Amino acid sequence: MVRLTLDLIAKNNNIKPRKEETIAQCLKKITHINFSDRNIDSIDNLSLCKNLSVLYLYDNHISHITNLNYSTNLTHLYLQNNCISCIENLRSLKKLEKLYLGGNYIAVIEGLEGLGELRELHVESQRLPLGEKLLFDPRTLRSLAKSLSILNISNNNIDDIKDLDVLENLNHLIAVDNQLIHVKDLEVLLKKLMKLWKMDLNGNPVCLKPKYRDKLILMSKSLEFLDGKEIKNMERQFLMNWKASKDAKKIKKRSNKIEDPSSSYISNFETIHHIVPVCYPQVGKPKVVFFSDVQRYFPSGNPSSECFQEDKTKVTEEMGNLSLKESESSLTKNDIHEPHLLRNPKVKENLYEEKE
């Protein structure tokens, strides 16, 4: 294995000091260092490389991020496909803009507080134990809320990305080949991420849901590309019109369930007016007579409880008197077919006189 040292850097860059110039002065001028795929397993002190801005260390065997504290001008750091299990010792890199950590053993996105200039974070395809998923430290997410614009979390067994809603300036989310299932979870995210214009979710179970693409387009007005396919204005407008038509039909269907004024009036009439059938014998066939109060119409469709009670009492009294008069004038001693009429004392007295 190889340790990245200043001597190795000097040899690799063919540094030859001029007259009255030291190695340290030459190292200070270096802005880019490329030691990718060189069997590097550790990093030595690079403090002399004060102007280093881009460091390529991918495809090596590095297990710990060390000795970068003094590389304060670093803007791009490539550490993908190493053996890193923990994000550490990066908080002093205040100018870091792009960080590549894909293909490592990282289980939690953490340790990035203070990186106020970080615009891109790539942590795809972490080699995690079976059944585990990549997690996010809320403190790190909050610290990146204003700066992060591109996030790649593909192939990490992730089943929930609602926590990403704090990344208010995110405009490109790459989350392919995960375990996202619910469209509703994406709805929560899209409502918060107002600047997201590109999202890739291919390979997730949610992509197989009915009308998945249509629903996501309707959820976000900012999306311009979904799963590598452009969202054209004509497509969005068509879906918006379709949704408006569907909502209008739902409203119409609900309104049809409400009773119209005529049916409401009939219902109130039947409730308020008592219809009493009385059968009495006459010449010929028996008749059925219905007594009811005068029909009343309530503009509101619902009479007040007090008015309703008064009308109910009046109707009951009037119908009782009317039925009594009709009964006394028509009943004879041999023609009693309504036993309930005998409850009236006057009817009983008349019947006894007839029998005597």
Side-chain angles (χ1 to χ4, degrees):
M1 294 299 176
V2 180
R3 182 177 180 84
L4 181 62
T5 63
L6 292 174
D7 290 338
L8 187 60
I9 293 172
K11 291 179 182 179
N12 186 73
N13 287 272
N14 295 319
I15 294 177
K16 296 179 180 180
R18 297 177 182 177
K19 292 181 180 180
E20 300 180 355
E21 187 178 37
T22 63
I23 295 292
Q25 291 174 327
C26 292
L27 291 172
K28 187 177 180 180
K29 297 178 182 179
I30 295 176
T31 59
H32 290 62
I33 294 177
N34 187 348
F35 275 87
S36 58
D37 195 16
R38 298 283 293 272
N39 290 320
I40 303 295
D41 64 341
S42 61
I43 306 170
D44 204 352
N45 189 344
L46 304 181
S47 59
L48 291 180
C49 301
K50 294 185 180 297
N51 290 311
L52 182 64
S53 60
V54 181
L55 178 59
Y56 296 95
L57 291 173
Y58 58 86
D59 295 337
N60 282 297
H61 303 280
I62 299 169
S63 58
H64 297 281
I65 304 173
T66 57
N67 293 317
L68 295 179
N69 298 346
Y70 297 100
S71 302
T72 54
N73 288 311
L74 203 63
T75 59
H76 296 58
L77 180 58
Y78 297 82
L79 289 170
Q80 61 267 45
N81 300 325
N82 278 281
C83 302
I84 300 168
S85 59
C86 181
I87 303 175
E88 57 188 347
N89 301 320
L90 294 177
R91 297 187 183 186
S92 61
L93 306 182
K94 303 297 183 181
K95 296 183 180 179
L96 192 63
E97 297 177 5
K98 297 183 181 182
L99 178 59
Y100 293 83
L101 292 168
N104 281 283
Y105 295 88
I106 299 169
V108 183
I109 303 303
E110 59 184 347
L112 300 177
E113 292 86 343
L115 303 186
E117 299 295 324
L118 192 64
R119 295 186 292 106
E120 294 187 27
L121 177 60
H122 300 263
V123 286
E124 73 282 1
S125 303
Q126 297 302 312
R127 289 171 279 183
L128 300 173
L130 186 64
E132 290 192 14
K133 62 181 180 180
L134 184 67
L135 301 175
F136 304 92
D137 184 349
R139 294 170 297 181
T140 287
L141 291 179
R142 286 194 297 269
S143 69
L144 300 177
K146 300 291 185 182
S147 63
L148 200 65
S149 60
I150 299 176
L151 177 62
N152 186 351
I153 53 174
S154 298
N155 191 28
N156 283 311
N157 203 32
I158 298 171
D159 58 5
D160 185 3
I161 56 175
K162 289 185 291 186
D163 292 341
L164 302 181
D165 62 2
V166 300
L167 303 175
E168 56 188 71
N169 284 312
L170 194 68
N171 58 54
H172 187 187
L173 175 62
I174 309 166
V176 303
D177 297 329
N178 280 296
Q179 298 300 320
L180 301 175
I181 299 175
H182 303 293
V183 176
K184 288 185 177 180
D185 292 344
L186 299 176
E187 182 177 4
V188 173
L189 185 67
L190 291 174
K191 284 183 177 179
K192 295 288 185 68
L193 303 183
M194 305 301 293
K195 296 183 180 180
L196 190 67
W197 65 276
K198 191 173 184 180
M199 184 164 66
D200 297 309
L201 299 177
N202 281 317
N204 284 275
V206 70
C207 298
L208 303 177
K209 297 285 185 178
K211 298 188 181 298
Y212 148 79
R213 180 178 172 86
D214 295 348
K215 290 178 181 178
L216 262 59
I217 293 174
L218 289 171
M219 287 174 191
S220 173
K221 294 181 180 180
S222 61
L223 271 182
E224 297 179 18
F225 287 85
L226 178 59
D227 299 336
K229 185 178 179 182
E230 183 181 2
I231 301 171
K232 297 183 179 180
N233 291 334
M234 184 178 296
E235 181 182 9
R236 176 174 273 114
Q237 190 61 49
F238 171 81
L239 291 172
M240 291 174 65
N241 294 340
W242 169 79
K243 185 177 185 300
S245 176
K246 187 177 179 181
D247 292 343
K249 288 180 180 179
K250 287 182 179 179
I251 295 173
K252 185 177 180 180
K253 188 175 181 181
R254 285 197 296 267
S255 63
N256 288 339
K257 291 182 180 180
I258 302 174
E259 294 181 344
D260 56 28
S262 59
S263 63
S264 177
Y265 169 75
I266 292 172
S267 176
N268 290 331
F269 175 77
E270 291 176 349
T271 304
I272 297 169
H273 293 74
H274 299 267
I275 301 174
V276 181
V278 177
C279 179
Y280 60 91
Q282 286 184 350
V283 179
K285 296 181 179 179
K287 295 182 179 180
V288 178
V289 180
F290 295 91
F291 299 97
S292 65
D293 187 26
V294 178
Q295 299 180 3
R296 304 181 185 221
Y297 174 72
F298 297 92
S300 63
N302 292 312
S304 65
S305 59
E306 293 180 0
C307 294
F308 174 76
Q309 193 63 34
E310 290 177 4
D311 289 343
K312 181 179 177 182
T313 305
K314 288 180 180 180
V315 170
T316 305
E317 291 177 355
E318 291 174 4
M319 288 192 298
N321 294 334
L322 185 56
S323 61
L324 177 60
K325 291 178 181 179
E326 293 292 335
S327 300
E328 289 177 349
S329 62
S330 61
L331 288 174
T332 64
K333 64 179 180 180
N334 296 322
D335 298 319
I336 299 175
H337 297 279
E338 295 294 328
H340 67 279
L341 296 177
L342 294 176
R343 297 175 185 175
N344 193 303
K346 293 182 180 181
V347 176
K348 286 183 179 181
E349 185 178 345
N350 292 335
L351 290 174
Y352 291 144
E353 289 177 358
E354 289 292 335
K355 287 182 180 180
E356 291 176 358

